[in-house]
Amino acid sequence: MTVAAHTMAVTSNRHAHGLPKGHSMPIRAASVLFGFAFIWAGAGLWLVPGLELAPSVLLTKMFLSIMMVTAGVGMTQIATEKPQCELHFDARHRQVHVVEIKSRGNRHVVQTINYENIARVDVSDTELVMLNEAGKIVVELPLDGPHSRLDAIAHLRSQSLFPA
């Protein structure tokens, strides 16, 4: 998708500034392995016969299996890459496009905002927030530190969206 001939992007990608992107491969592999092990252990707990089927034994099995399956699902989620967002500034149409990038590189525009609808922009080391005239948040983009903040401020100033 082509936004315009002269677009600039503010990204929350840690990889663009030389910072590691997510967890390393051994951590991700271990989290998947242990995650599935916890899920199978939680399900396999019901295959182990008990001495008696007392309510306290069943309650304990249920509690342990729920905790193990929940921990397993949580551990497998560590290995998934989260979608990242970018802001593309279209100077010709005077619009900001919020673009979401999925883990496989698929991009799609989530939101388009006209420059006239942006009343204020707040930028910190952790996030960029655009507000409308009513003071409601229009866009919230996480930033990865002072380098991303300076990059975002430079892009916003070039589009006259941030005070000098």
Side-chain angles (χ1 to χ4, degrees), residues 138-154:
V138 179
V139 175
E140 209 170 4
L141 179 73
L143 296 177
D144 299 318
H147 294 293
S148 295
R149 181 180 61 81
L150 293 174
D151 190 32
I153 289 173

Side-chain angles (χ1 to χ4, degrees), residues 86-105:
E86 290 182 349
L87 294 180
H88 290 266
F89 297 94
D90 185 358
R92 184 173 16 160
H93 296 107
R94 298 188 45 80
Q95 293 178 333
V96 176
H97 301 282
V98 182
V99 178
E100 186 177 64
I101 304 168
K102 302 283 183 166
S103 61
R104 293 187 178 166

